[in-house]
Amino acid sequence: MIAEIDAFRDYLREHNLPVTAPRVAVAEVVLGSDRHLSVDEIARALAERGAPVGTATIYRTLDVLVRSGLAVERDFGEGFRRYEPARGAPQHEHLLCTVCGTVLEFRDERLERMTTLIAEGHRFARQRHRLVIYGVCERCQRGGGRVAERGSSPGAPG
Amino acid sequence: MIAEIDAFRDYLREHNLPVTAPRVAVAEVVLGSDRHLSVDEIARALAERGAPVGTATIYRTLDVLVRSGLAVERDFGEGFRRYEPARGAPQHEHLLCTVCGTVLEFRDERLERMTTLIAEGHRFARQRHRLVIYGVCERCQRGGGRVAERGSSPGAPG
DNA sequence: CTCATTGCAAAGGATTTGCACTAAT
DNA sequence: ATTAGTGCAAATCCTTTGCAATGAG
């Protein structure tokens, strides 16, 4: 993860953007996490470090982080966005537990080809796709699943 | 479509919900459309009919309409929701033009099977899935596509 | 008549923006 | 020194809620 932080510093320098403490702090939280963080969670994490960062700055930094390609923005239909490190991640899909909100990632090369073919069949030039499978995770199938980290019921529409 | 409106009236009666003019009007607009309407578009359509309906009522009626199973809620990551008639629609997927916002629907039975298998592989009990392919439609590939109906750039995250 | 619905306006949550102030280069 | 970034608060956008007036059954 230190590598990613350095990559972010480099990105900033290369684009003549000042390398500031708040920016680096936000990058550390997002790139150092293995989860899909909401802005709220990021803000809390920063506050816990003893170096809170203003909401506006978090949003502004996330923009840069996404543009740098080091982080990815996600929308699971919860009413707010989440961010995760790109980790050079090839396209991957998400499994979302509608009970506890847990997100699992998986890859499937077939989807890349399949969606391209489907798009072509409709004369669309495919750019990307997004697949979310909603279901109930193993733990929640058994007994009481733990409470979701944030946000309302993940029983997302669409 | 008249059938759907009647079905909605029946649903209301069966649930002891008053059949009011605003409710029927909203149902007519949503169930009579072949597009994925935003609340804003619904409000405009109602206003154009000369019988405007309050925003709160539109939202409240959409809830009923969705619960009745006659309409479906969609979230394409645009920052607001869209609604479309269910038309007894089996699961279907969406192709979204990131230039003009046009939405195309298509079906692919393989996805149903594929996502079930994937979910099982991760010990998830699959409930449903959502696939959106983002790309550029034929018209927009050629020249200036028409302007999107509503909302910001559909270059949705996730 | 009685109780649910309606519409307005205010409240809410997420995100953006204006602006005086501070910090990076 | 310059120029850009920061935080705060105000502003937006979509959606929900409170409440008095209205209409369905």
Side-chain angles (χ1 to χ4, degrees), chain A residues 18 20 22-23 54 57 60:
Chain A
T20 66
R23 276 179 175 159
T57 299
R60 287 186 282 233

mmCIF file with all atom_site columns, all heavy atoms in Angstrom, chain A residues 18 20 22-23 54 57 60, chain D residues 3-10:
data_model
loop_
_atom_site.group_PDB
_atom_site.id
_atom_site.type_symbol
_atom_site.label_atom_id
_atom_site.label_alt_id
_atom_site.label_comp_id
_atom_site.label_asym_id
_atom_site.label_entity_id
_atom_site.label_seq_id
_atom_site.pdbx_PDB_ins_code
_atom_site.Cartn_x
_atom_site.Cartn_y
_atom_site.Cartn_z
_atom_site.occupancy
_atom_site.B_iso_or_equiv
_atom_site.pdbx_formal_charge
_atom_site.auth_seq_id
_atom_site.auth_comp_id
_atom_site.auth_asym_id
_atom_site.auth_atom_id
_atom_site.pdbx_PDB_model_num
ATOM 1   N N     . PRO A 1 18 ? -0.366  20.445 -5.522  1.00 0.00 ? 18 PRO A N     1
ATOM 2   C CA    . PRO A 1 18 ? 0.347   20.396 -4.250  1.00 0.00 ? 18 PRO A CA    1
ATOM 3   C C     . PRO A 1 18 ? 0.080   19.101 -3.471  1.00 0.00 ? 18 PRO A C     1
ATOM 4   O O     . PRO A 1 18 ? -1.051  18.634 -3.389  1.00 0.00 ? 18 PRO A O     1
ATOM 5   C CB    . PRO A 1 18 ? -0.203  21.600 -3.495  1.00 0.00 ? 18 PRO A CB    1
ATOM 6   C CG    . PRO A 1 18 ? -0.636  22.542 -4.554  1.00 0.00 ? 18 PRO A CG    1
ATOM 7   C CD    . PRO A 1 18 ? -1.121  21.690 -5.688  1.00 0.00 ? 18 PRO A CD    1
ATOM 8   N N     . THR A 1 20 ? -0.481  17.810 -0.271  1.00 0.00 ? 20 THR A N     1
ATOM 9   C CA    . THR A 1 20 ? -0.841  18.320 1.050   1.00 0.00 ? 20 THR A CA    1
ATOM 10  C C     . THR A 1 20 ? -1.139  17.182 2.021   1.00 0.00 ? 20 THR A C     1
ATOM 11  O O     . THR A 1 20 ? -1.428  16.059 1.603   1.00 0.00 ? 20 THR A O     1
ATOM 12  C CB    . THR A 1 20 ? -2.090  19.208 0.967   1.00 0.00 ? 20 THR A CB    1
ATOM 13  O OG1   . THR A 1 20 ? -3.192  18.395 0.583   1.00 0.00 ? 20 THR A OG1   1
ATOM 14  C CG2   . THR A 1 20 ? -1.902  20.308 -0.057  1.00 0.00 ? 20 THR A CG2   1
ATOM 15  N N     . PRO A 1 22 ? -3.769  16.720 4.055   1.00 0.00 ? 22 PRO A N     1
ATOM 16  C CA    . PRO A 1 22 ? -5.120  16.147 3.941   1.00 0.00 ? 22 PRO A CA    1
ATOM 17  C C     . PRO A 1 22 ? -5.229  15.189 2.765   1.00 0.00 ? 22 PRO A C     1
ATOM 18  O O     . PRO A 1 22 ? -5.828  14.109 2.889   1.00 0.00 ? 22 PRO A O     1
ATOM 19  C CB    . PRO A 1 22 ? -6.009  17.373 3.729   1.00 0.00 ? 22 PRO A CB    1
ATOM 20  C CG    . PRO A 1 22 ? -5.256  18.490 4.359   1.00 0.00 ? 22 PRO A CG    1
ATOM 21  C CD    . PRO A 1 22 ? -3.811  18.196 4.111   1.00 0.00 ? 22 PRO A CD    1
ATOM 22  N N     . ARG A 1 23 ? -4.653  15.544 1.648   1.00 0.00 ? 23 ARG A N     1
ATOM 23  C CA    . ARG A 1 23 ? -4.735  14.671 0.483   1.00 0.00 ? 23 ARG A CA    1
ATOM 24  C C     . ARG A 1 23 ? -4.081  13.324 0.754   1.00 0.00 ? 23 ARG A C     1
ATOM 25  O O     . ARG A 1 23 ? -4.641  12.260 0.437   1.00 0.00 ? 23 ARG A O     1
ATOM 26  C CB    . ARG A 1 23 ? -4.052  15.336 -0.719  1.00 0.00 ? 23 ARG A CB    1
ATOM 27  C CG    . ARG A 1 23 ? -4.962  16.282 -1.447  1.00 0.00 ? 23 ARG A CG    1
ATOM 28  C CD    . ARG A 1 23 ? -4.248  16.951 -2.611  1.00 0.00 ? 23 ARG A CD    1
ATOM 29  N NE    . ARG A 1 23 ? -5.182  17.775 -3.373  1.00 0.00 ? 23 ARG A NE    1
ATOM 30  C CZ    . ARG A 1 23 ? -4.805  18.775 -4.164  1.00 0.00 ? 23 ARG A CZ    1
ATOM 31  N NH1   . ARG A 1 23 ? -3.523  19.076 -4.298  1.00 0.00 ? 23 ARG A NH1   1
ATOM 32  N NH2   . ARG A 1 23 ? -5.709  19.465 -4.818  1.00 0.00 ? 23 ARG A NH2   1
ATOM 33  N N     . GLY A 1 54 ? -11.905 18.107 6.460   1.00 0.00 ? 54 GLY A N     1
ATOM 34  C CA    . GLY A 1 54 ? -13.223 18.630 6.093   1.00 0.00 ? 54 GLY A CA    1
ATOM 35  C C     . GLY A 1 54 ? -13.884 17.794 5.014   1.00 0.00 ? 54 GLY A C     1
ATOM 36  O O     . GLY A 1 54 ? -13.217 17.248 4.135   1.00 0.00 ? 54 GLY A O     1
ATOM 37  N N     . THR A 1 57 ? -13.133 18.682 1.444   1.00 0.00 ? 57 THR A N     1
ATOM 38  C CA    . THR A 1 57 ? -11.803 18.253 1.021   1.00 0.00 ? 57 THR A CA    1
ATOM 39  C C     . THR A 1 57 ? -11.774 16.763 0.736   1.00 0.00 ? 57 THR A C     1
ATOM 40  O O     . THR A 1 57 ? -11.117 16.310 -0.203  1.00 0.00 ? 57 THR A O     1
ATOM 41  C CB    . THR A 1 57 ? -10.762 18.599 2.102   1.00 0.00 ? 57 THR A CB    1
ATOM 42  O OG1   . THR A 1 57 ? -10.766 20.011 2.280   1.00 0.00 ? 57 THR A OG1   1
ATOM 43  C CG2   . THR A 1 57 ? -9.376  18.139 1.699   1.00 0.00 ? 57 THR A CG2   1
ATOM 44  N N     . ARG A 1 60 ? -13.272 16.361 -2.609  1.00 0.00 ? 60 ARG A N     1
ATOM 45  C CA    . ARG A 1 60 ? -12.382 16.871 -3.649  1.00 0.00 ? 60 ARG A CA    1
ATOM 46  C C     . ARG A 1 60 ? -11.195 15.948 -3.854  1.00 0.00 ? 60 ARG A C     1
ATOM 47  O O     . ARG A 1 60 ? -10.748 15.717 -4.984  1.00 0.00 ? 60 ARG A O     1
ATOM 48  C CB    . ARG A 1 60 ? -11.934 18.300 -3.296  1.00 0.00 ? 60 ARG A CB    1
ATOM 49  C CG    . ARG A 1 60 ? -13.072 19.305 -3.481  1.00 0.00 ? 60 ARG A CG    1
ATOM 50  C CD    . ARG A 1 60 ? -12.644 20.765 -3.274  1.00 0.00 ? 60 ARG A CD    1
ATOM 51  N NE    . ARG A 1 60 ? -12.509 21.125 -1.875  1.00 0.00 ? 60 ARG A NE    1
ATOM 52  C CZ    . ARG A 1 60 ? -13.096 22.172 -1.291  1.00 0.00 ? 60 ARG A CZ    1
ATOM 53  N NH1   . ARG A 1 60 ? -13.878 22.977 -1.990  1.00 0.00 ? 60 ARG A NH1   1
ATOM 54  N NH2   . ARG A 1 60 ? -12.907 22.434 -0.024  1.00 0.00 ? 60 ARG A NH2   1
ATOM 55  P P     . DT  D 2 3  ? 0.445   33.895 -9.757  1.00 0.00 ? 3  DT  D P     1
ATOM 56  O OP1   . DT  D 2 3  ? 0.838   33.949 -11.176 1.00 0.00 ? 3  DT  D OP1   1
ATOM 57  O OP2   . DT  D 2 3  ? -0.532  34.871 -9.195  1.00 0.00 ? 3  DT  D OP2   1
ATOM 58  O "O5'" . DT  D 2 3  ? -0.083  32.447 -9.435  1.00 0.00 ? 3  DT  D "O5'" 1
ATOM 59  C "C5'" . DT  D 2 3  ? 0.852   31.354 -9.310  1.00 0.00 ? 3  DT  D "C5'" 1
ATOM 60  C "C4'" . DT  D 2 3  ? 0.156   30.217 -8.599  1.00 0.00 ? 3  DT  D "C4'" 1
ATOM 61  O "O4'" . DT  D 2 3  ? 0.239   30.391 -7.169  1.00 0.00 ? 3  DT  D "O4'" 1
ATOM 62  C "C3'" . DT  D 2 3  ? -1.336  30.122 -8.935  1.00 0.00 ? 3  DT  D "C3'" 1
ATOM 63  O "O3'" . DT  D 2 3  ? -1.636  28.790 -9.308  1.00 0.00 ? 3  DT  D "O3'" 1
ATOM 64  C "C2'" . DT  D 2 3  ? -2.038  30.509 -7.654  1.00 0.00 ? 3  DT  D "C2'" 1
ATOM 65  C "C1'" . DT  D 2 3  ? -1.011  30.090 -6.608  1.00 0.00 ? 3  DT  D "C1'" 1
ATOM 66  N N1    . DT  D 2 3  ? -1.107  30.805 -5.300  1.00 0.00 ? 3  DT  D N1    1
ATOM 67  C C2    . DT  D 2 3  ? -0.782  30.110 -4.160  1.00 0.00 ? 3  DT  D C2    1
ATOM 68  O O2    . DT  D 2 3  ? -0.405  28.959 -4.165  1.00 0.00 ? 3  DT  D O2    1
ATOM 69  N N3    . DT  D 2 3  ? -0.912  30.831 -3.000  1.00 0.00 ? 3  DT  D N3    1
ATOM 70  C C4    . DT  D 2 3  ? -1.325  32.133 -2.877  1.00 0.00 ? 3  DT  D C4    1
ATOM 71  O O4    . DT  D 2 3  ? -1.403  32.664 -1.778  1.00 0.00 ? 3  DT  D O4    1
ATOM 72  C C5    . DT  D 2 3  ? -1.657  32.796 -4.128  1.00 0.00 ? 3  DT  D C5    1
ATOM 73  C C7    . DT  D 2 3  ? -2.127  34.212 -4.092  1.00 0.00 ? 3  DT  D C7    1
ATOM 74  C C6    . DT  D 2 3  ? -1.530  32.115 -5.266  1.00 0.00 ? 3  DT  D C6    1
ATOM 75  P P     . DA  D 2 4  ? -3.150  28.319 -9.539  1.00 0.00 ? 4  DA  D P     1
ATOM 76  O OP1   . DA  D 2 4  ? -3.228  27.612 -10.821 1.00 0.00 ? 4  DA  D OP1   1
ATOM 77  O OP2   . DA  D 2 4  ? -4.045  29.443 -9.225  1.00 0.00 ? 4  DA  D OP2   1
ATOM 78  O "O5'" . DA  D 2 4  ? -3.275  27.247 -8.371  1.00 0.00 ? 4  DA  D "O5'" 1
ATOM 79  C "C5'" . DA  D 2 4  ? -2.169  26.385 -8.085  1.00 0.00 ? 4  DA  D "C5'" 1
ATOM 80  C "C4'" . DA  D 2 4  ? -2.507  25.539 -6.877  1.00 0.00 ? 4  DA  D "C4'" 1
ATOM 81  O "O4'" . DA  D 2 4  ? -2.476  26.381 -5.707  1.00 0.00 ? 4  DA  D "O4'" 1
ATOM 82  C "C3'" . DA  D 2 4  ? -3.896  24.943 -6.940  1.00 0.00 ? 4  DA  D "C3'" 1
ATOM 83  O "O3'" . DA  D 2 4  ? -3.863  23.629 -6.401  1.00 0.00 ? 4  DA  D "O3'" 1
ATOM 84  C "C2'" . DA  D 2 4  ? -4.742  25.882 -6.112  1.00 0.00 ? 4  DA  D "C2'" 1
ATOM 85  C "C1'" . DA  D 2 4  ? -3.740  26.378 -5.071  1.00 0.00 ? 4  DA  D "C1'" 1
ATOM 86  N N9    . DA  D 2 4  ? -3.992  27.739 -4.613  1.00 0.00 ? 4  DA  D N9    1
ATOM 87  C C8    . DA  D 2 4  ? -4.318  28.823 -5.373  1.00 0.00 ? 4  DA  D C8    1
ATOM 88  N N7    . DA  D 2 4  ? -4.498  29.929 -4.683  1.00 0.00 ? 4  DA  D N7    1
ATOM 89  C C5    . DA  D 2 4  ? -4.266  29.529 -3.368  1.00 0.00 ? 4  DA  D C5    1
ATOM 90  C C6    . DA  D 2 4  ? -4.308  30.232 -2.150  1.00 0.00 ? 4  DA  D C6    1
ATOM 91  N N6    . DA  D 2 4  ? -4.579  31.528 -2.049  1.00 0.00 ? 4  DA  D N6    1
ATOM 92  N N1    . DA  D 2 4  ? -4.035  29.542 -1.015  1.00 0.00 ? 4  DA  D N1    1
ATOM 93  C C2    . DA  D 2 4  ? -3.754  28.241 -1.117  1.00 0.00 ? 4  DA  D C2    1
ATOM 94  N N3    . DA  D 2 4  ? -3.686  27.465 -2.213  1.00 0.00 ? 4  DA  D N3    1
ATOM 95  C C4    . DA  D 2 4  ? -3.959  28.182 -3.311  1.00 0.00 ? 4  DA  D C4    1
ATOM 96  P P     . DG  D 2 5  ? -5.176  22.951 -5.874  1.00 0.00 ? 5  DG  D P     1
ATOM 97  O OP1   . DG  D 2 5  ? -4.985  21.518 -6.098  1.00 0.00 ? 5  DG  D OP1   1
ATOM 98  O OP2   . DG  D 2 5  ? -6.342  23.665 -6.414  1.00 0.00 ? 5  DG  D OP2   1
ATOM 99  O "O5'" . DG  D 2 5  ? -5.087  23.202 -4.305  1.00 0.00 ? 5  DG  D "O5'" 1
ATOM 100 C "C5'" . DG  D 2 5  ? -3.919  22.744 -3.611  1.00 0.00 ? 5  DG  D "C5'" 1
ATOM 101 C "C4'" . DG  D 2 5  ? -4.237  22.595 -2.136  1.00 0.00 ? 5  DG  D "C4'" 1
ATOM 102 O "O4'" . DG  D 2 5  ? -4.537  23.885 -1.596  1.00 0.00 ? 5  DG  D "O4'" 1
ATOM 103 C "C3'" . DG  D 2 5  ? -5.460  21.731 -1.842  1.00 0.00 ? 5  DG  D "C3'" 1
ATOM 104 O "O3'" . DG  D 2 5  ? -5.240  21.078 -0.594  1.00 0.00 ? 5  DG  D "O3'" 1
ATOM 105 C "C2'" . DG  D 2 5  ? -6.584  22.734 -1.776  1.00 0.00 ? 5  DG  D "C2'" 1
ATOM 106 C "C1'" . DG  D 2 5  ? -5.889  23.947 -1.181  1.00 0.00 ? 5  DG  D "C1'" 1
ATOM 107 N N9    . DG  D 2 5  ? -6.403  25.226 -1.638  1.00 0.00 ? 5  DG  D N9    1
ATOM 108 C C8    . DG  D 2 5  ? -6.720  25.595 -2.915  1.00 0.00 ? 5  DG  D C8    1
ATOM 109 N N7    . DG  D 2 5  ? -7.145  26.835 -3.008  1.00 0.00 ? 5  DG  D N7    1
ATOM 110 C C5    . DG  D 2 5  ? -7.093  27.300 -1.708  1.00 0.00 ? 5  DG  D C5    1
ATOM 111 C C6    . DG  D 2 5  ? -7.425  28.571 -1.174  1.00 0.00 ? 5  DG  D C6    1
ATOM 112 O O6    . DG  D 2 5  ? -7.842  29.566 -1.765  1.00 0.00 ? 5  DG  D O6    1
ATOM 113 N N1    . DG  D 2 5  ? -7.230  28.624 0.203   1.00 0.00 ? 5  DG  D N1    1
ATOM 114 C C2    . DG  D 2 5  ? -6.761  27.573 0.962   1.00 0.00 ? 5  DG  D C2    1
ATOM 115 N N2    . DG  D 2 5  ? -6.641  27.789 2.276   1.00 0.00 ? 5  DG  D N2    1
ATOM 116 N N3    . DG  D 2 5  ? -6.449  26.375 0.477   1.00 0.00 ? 5  DG  D N3    1
ATOM 117 C C4    . DG  D 2 5  ? -6.642  26.320 -0.858  1.00 0.00 ? 5  DG  D C4    1
ATOM 118 P P     . DT  D 2 6  ? -6.348  20.276 0.098   1.00 0.00 ? 6  DT  D P     1
ATOM 119 O OP1   . DT  D 2 6  ? -5.706  19.158 0.814   1.00 0.00 ? 6  DT  D OP1   1
ATOM 120 O OP2   . DT  D 2 6  ? -7.409  20.027 -0.892  1.00 0.00 ? 6  DT  D OP2   1
ATOM 121 O "O5'" . DT  D 2 6  ? -6.887  21.318 1.165   1.00 0.00 ? 6  DT  D "O5'" 1
ATOM 122 C "C5'" . DT  D 2 6  ? -6.003  21.752 2.205   1.00 0.00 ? 6  DT  D "C5'" 1
ATOM 123 C "C4'" . DT  D 2 6  ? -6.802  22.422 3.305   1.00 0.00 ? 6  DT  D "C4'" 1
ATOM 124 O "O4'" . DT  D 2 6  ? -7.206  23.731 2.834   1.00 0.00 ? 6  DT  D "O4'" 1
ATOM 125 C "C3'" . DT  D 2 6  ? -8.077  21.672 3.669   1.00 0.00 ? 6  DT  D "C3'" 1
ATOM 126 O "O3'" . DT  D 2 6  ? -8.134  21.423 5.069   1.00 0.00 ? 6  DT  D "O3'" 1
ATOM 127 C "C2'" . DT  D 2 6  ? -9.215  22.571 3.210   1.00 0.00 ? 6  DT  D "C2'" 1
ATOM 128 C "C1'" . DT  D 2 6  ? -8.571  23.951 3.115   1.00 0.00 ? 6  DT  D "C1'" 1
ATOM 129 N N1    . DT  D 2 6  ? -9.102  24.759 1.988   1.00 0.00 ? 6  DT  D N1    1
ATOM 130 C C2    . DT  D 2 6  ? -9.509  26.038 2.223   1.00 0.00 ? 6  DT  D C2    1
ATOM 131 O O2    . DT  D 2 6  ? -9.467  26.564 3.315   1.00 0.00 ? 6  DT  D O2    1
ATOM 132 N N3    . DT  D 2 6  ? -9.993  26.698 1.122   1.00 0.00 ? 6  DT  D N3    1
ATOM 133 C C4    . DT  D 2 6  ? -10.102 26.206 -0.165  1.00 0.00 ? 6  DT  D C4    1
ATOM 134 O O4    . DT  D 2 6  ? -10.551 26.910 -1.067  1.00 0.00 ? 6  DT  D O4    1
ATOM 135 C C5    . DT  D 2 6  ? -9.647  24.848 -0.337  1.00 0.00 ? 6  DT  D C5    1
ATOM 136 C C7    . DT  D 2 6  ? -9.715  24.220 -1.681  1.00 0.00 ? 6  DT  D C7    1
ATOM 137 C C6    . DT  D 2 6  ? -9.172  24.189 0.726   1.00 0.00 ? 6  DT  D C6    1
ATOM 138 P P     . DG  D 2 7  ? -9.287  20.477 5.619   1.00 0.00 ? 7  DG  D P     1
ATOM 139 O OP1   . DG  D 2 7  ? -8.743  19.656 6.710   1.00 0.00 ? 7  DG  D OP1   1
ATOM 140 O OP2   . DG  D 2 7  ? -9.976  19.839 4.485   1.00 0.00 ? 7  DG  D OP2   1
ATOM 141 O "O5'" . DG  D 2 7  ? -10.259 21.571 6.237   1.00 0.00 ? 7  DG  D "O5'" 1
ATOM 142 C "C5'" . DG  D 2 7  ? -9.791  22.412 7.278   1.00 0.00 ? 7  DG  D "C5'" 1
ATOM 143 C "C4'" . DG  D 2 7  ? -10.855 23.427 7.617   1.00 0.00 ? 7  DG  D "C4'" 1
ATOM 144 O "O4'" . DG  D 2 7  ? -11.106 24.234 6.441   1.00 0.00 ? 7  DG  D "O4'" 1
ATOM 145 C "C3'" . DG  D 2 7  ? -12.202 22.815 8.009   1.00 0.00 ? 7  DG  D "C3'" 1
ATOM 146 O "O3'" . DG  D 2 7  ? -12.689 23.498 9.157   1.00 0.00 ? 7  DG  D "O3'" 1
ATOM 147 C "C2'" . DG  D 2 7  ? -13.085 23.035 6.795   1.00 0.00 ? 7  DG  D "C2'" 1
ATOM 148 C "C1'" . DG  D 2 7  ? -12.484 24.279 6.156   1.00 0.00 ? 7  DG  D "C1'" 1
ATOM 149 N N9    . DG  D 2 7  ? -12.602 24.320 4.702   1.00 0.00 ? 7  DG  D N9    1
ATOM 150 C C8    . DG  D 2 7  ? -12.428 23.280 3.825   1.00 0.00 ? 7  DG  D C8    1
ATOM 151 N N7    . DG  D 2 7  ? -12.573 23.620 2.571   1.00 0.00 ? 7  DG  D N7    1
ATOM 152 C C5    . DG  D 2 7  ? -12.855 24.982 2.621   1.00 0.00 ? 7  DG  D C5    1
ATOM 153 C C6    . DG  D 2 7  ? -13.106 25.903 1.570   1.00 0.00 ? 7  DG  D C6    1
ATOM 154 O O6    . DG  D 2 7  ? -13.123 25.692 0.352   1.00 0.00 ? 7  DG  D O6    1
ATOM 155 N N1    . DG  D 2 7  ? -13.351 27.193 2.050   1.00 0.00 ? 7  DG  D N1    1
ATOM 156 C C2    . DG  D 2 7  ? -13.336 27.537 3.375   1.00 0.00 ? 7  DG  D C2    1
ATOM 157 N N2    . DG  D 2 7  ? -13.588 28.812 3.651   1.00 0.00 ? 7  DG  D N2    1
ATOM 158 N N3    . DG  D 2 7  ? -13.098 26.680 4.369   1.00 0.00 ? 7  DG  D N3    1
ATOM 159 C C4    . DG  D 2 7  ? -12.872 25.430 3.920   1.00 0.00 ? 7  DG  D C4    1
ATOM 160 P P     . DC  D 2 8  ? -13.818 22.874 10.055  1.00 0.00 ? 8  DC  D P     1
ATOM 161 O OP1   . DC  D 2 8  ? -13.350 22.949 11.456  1.00 0.00 ? 8  DC  D OP1   1
ATOM 162 O OP2   . DC  D 2 8  ? -14.251 21.591 9.471   1.00 0.00 ? 8  DC  D OP2   1
ATOM 163 O "O5'" . DC  D 2 8  ? -15.006 23.925 9.887   1.00 0.00 ? 8  DC  D "O5'" 1
ATOM 164 C "C5'" . DC  D 2 8  ? -14.737 25.307 10.059  1.00 0.00 ? 8  DC  D "C5'" 1
ATOM 165 C "C4'" . DC  D 2 8  ? -15.756 26.121 9.285   1.00 0.00 ? 8  DC  D "C4'" 1
ATOM 166 O "O4'" . DC  D 2 8  ? -15.467 26.046 7.875   1.00 0.00 ? 8  DC  D "O4'" 1
ATOM 167 C "C3'" . DC  D 2 8  ? -17.192 25.605 9.444   1.00 0.00 ? 8  DC  D "C3'" 1
ATOM 168 O "O3'" . DC  D 2 8  ? -17.947 26.557 10.193  1.00 0.00 ? 8  DC  D "O3'" 1
ATOM 169 C "C2'" . DC  D 2 8  ? -17.716 25.464 8.011   1.00 0.00 ? 8  DC  D "C2'" 1
ATOM 170 C "C1'" . DC  D 2 8  ? -16.677 26.186 7.174   1.00 0.00 ? 8  DC  D "C1'" 1
ATOM 171 N N1    . DC  D 2 8  ? -16.474 25.590 5.833   1.00 0.00 ? 8  DC  D N1    1
ATOM 172 C C2    . DC  D 2 8  ? -16.509 26.420 4.703   1.00 0.00 ? 8  DC  D C2    1
ATOM 173 O O2    . DC  D 2 8  ? -16.694 27.626 4.860   1.00 0.00 ? 8  DC  D O2    1
ATOM 174 N N3    . DC  D 2 8  ? -16.319 25.872 3.477   1.00 0.00 ? 8  DC  D N3    1
ATOM 175 C C4    . DC  D 2 8  ? -16.117 24.557 3.362   1.00 0.00 ? 8  DC  D C4    1
ATOM 176 N N4    . DC  D 2 8  ? -15.937 24.073 2.137   1.00 0.00 ? 8  DC  D N4    1
ATOM 177 C C5    . DC  D 2 8  ? -16.093 23.696 4.495   1.00 0.00 ? 8  DC  D C5    1
ATOM 178 C C6    . DC  D 2 8  ? -16.272 24.241 5.707   1.00 0.00 ? 8  DC  D C6    1
ATOM 179 P P     . DA  D 2 9  ? -19.453 26.194 10.626  1.00 0.00 ? 9  DA  D P     1
ATOM 180 O OP1   . DA  D 2 9  ? -19.610 26.607 12.035  1.00 0.00 ? 9  DA  D OP1   1
ATOM 181 O OP2   . DA  D 2 9  ? -19.774 24.818 10.217  1.00 0.00 ? 9  DA  D OP2   1
ATOM 182 O "O5'" . DA  D 2 9  ? -20.267 27.185 9.688   1.00 0.00 ? 9  DA  D "O5'" 1
ATOM 183 C "C5'" . DA  D 2 9  ? -19.596 28.285 9.057   1.00 0.00 ? 9  DA  D "C5'" 1
ATOM 184 C "C4'" . DA  D 2 9  ? -20.413 28.735 7.873   1.00 0.00 ? 9  DA  D "C4'" 1
ATOM 185 O "O4'" . DA  D 2 9  ? -19.996 28.027 6.673   1.00 0.00 ? 9  DA  D "O4'" 1
ATOM 186 C "C3'" . DA  D 2 9  ? -21.907 28.443 8.013   1.00 0.00 ? 9  DA  D "C3'" 1
ATOM 187 O "O3'" . DA  D 2 9  ? -22.653 29.491 7.417   1.00 0.00 ? 9  DA  D "O3'" 1
ATOM 188 C "C2'" . DA  D 2 9  ? -22.078 27.133 7.266   1.00 0.00 ? 9  DA  D "C2'" 1
ATOM 189 C "C1'" . DA  D 2 9  ? -21.083 27.315 6.126   1.00 0.00 ? 9  DA  D "C1'" 1
ATOM 190 N N9    . DA  D 2 9  ? -20.577 26.060 5.571   1.00 0.00 ? 9  DA  D N9    1
ATOM 191 C C8    . DA  D 2 9  ? -20.333 24.880 6.233   1.00 0.00 ? 9  DA  D C8    1
ATOM 192 N N7    . DA  D 2 9  ? -19.873 23.926 5.459   1.00 0.00 ? 9  DA  D N7    1
ATOM 193 C C5    . DA  D 2 9  ? -19.809 24.514 4.205   1.00 0.00 ? 9  DA  D C5    1
ATOM 194 C C6    . DA  D 2 9  ? -19.418 24.033 2.955   1.00 0.00 ? 9  DA  D C6    1
ATOM 195 N N6    . DA  D 2 9  ? -18.970 22.792 2.750   1.00 0.00 ? 9  DA  D N6    1
ATOM 196 N N1    . DA  D 2 9  ? -19.478 24.875 1.907   1.00 0.00 ? 9  DA  D N1    1
ATOM 197 C C2    . DA  D 2 9  ? -19.913 26.125 2.098   1.00 0.00 ? 9  DA  D C2    1
ATOM 198 N N3    . DA  D 2 9  ? -20.314 26.701 3.238   1.00 0.00 ? 9  DA  D N3    1
ATOM 199 C C4    . DA  D 2 9  ? -20.236 25.823 4.266   1.00 0.00 ? 9  DA  D C4    1
ATOM 200 P P     . DA  D 2 10 ? -24.253 29.443 7.502   1.00 0.00 ? 10 DA  D P     1
ATOM 201 O OP1   . DA  D 2 10 ? -24.650 30.673 8.221   1.00 0.00 ? 10 DA  D OP1   1
ATOM 202 O OP2   . DA  D 2 10 ? -24.698 28.115 7.984   1.00 0.00 ? 10 DA  D OP2   1
ATOM 203 O "O5'" . DA  D 2 10 ? -24.673 29.605 5.980   1.00 0.00 ? 10 DA  D "O5'" 1
ATOM 204 C "C5'" . DA  D 2 10 ? -23.927 30.491 5.144   1.00 0.00 ? 10 DA  D "C5'" 1
ATOM 205 C "C4'" . DA  D 2 10 ? -24.187 30.151 3.694   1.00 0.00 ? 10 DA  D "C4'" 1
ATOM 206 O "O4'" . DA  D 2 10 ? -23.505 28.916 3.350   1.00 0.00 ? 10 DA  D "O4'" 1
ATOM 207 C "C3'" . DA  D 2 10 ? -25.663 29.930 3.382   1.00 0.00 ? 10 DA  D "C3'" 1
ATOM 208 O "O3'" . DA  D 2 10 ? -25.964 30.553 2.144   1.00 0.00 ? 10 DA  D "O3'" 1
ATOM 209 C "C2'" . DA  D 2 10 ? -25.782 28.406 3.312   1.00 0.00 ? 10 DA  D "C2'" 1
ATOM 210 C "C1'" . DA  D 2 10 ? -24.421 28.011 2.765   1.00 0.00 ? 10 DA  D "C1'" 1
ATOM 211 N N9    . DA  D 2 10 ? -23.993 26.647 3.111   1.00 0.00 ? 10 DA  D N9    1
ATOM 212 C C8    . DA  D 2 10 ? -24.064 26.028 4.325   1.00 0.00 ? 10 DA  D C8    1
ATOM 213 N N7    . DA  D 2 10 ? -23.592 24.797 4.328   1.00 0.00 ? 10 DA  D N7    1
ATOM 214 C C5    . DA  D 2 10 ? -23.181 24.602 3.017   1.00 0.00 ? 10 DA  D C5    1
ATOM 215 C C6    . DA  D 2 10 ? -22.586 23.505 2.359   1.00 0.00 ? 10 DA  D C6    1
ATOM 216 N N6    . DA  D 2 10 ? -22.294 22.349 2.966   1.00 0.00 ? 10 DA  D N6    1
ATOM 217 N N1    . DA  D 2 10 ? -22.298 23.639 1.050   1.00 0.00 ? 10 DA  D N1    1
ATOM 218 C C2    . DA  D 2 10 ? -22.592 24.804 0.441   1.00 0.00 ? 10 DA  D C2    1
ATOM 219 N N3    . DA  D 2 10 ? -23.146 25.913 0.947   1.00 0.00 ? 10 DA  D N3    1
ATOM 220 C C4    . DA  D 2 10 ? -23.417 25.733 2.258   1.00 0.00 ? 10 DA  D C4    1
#
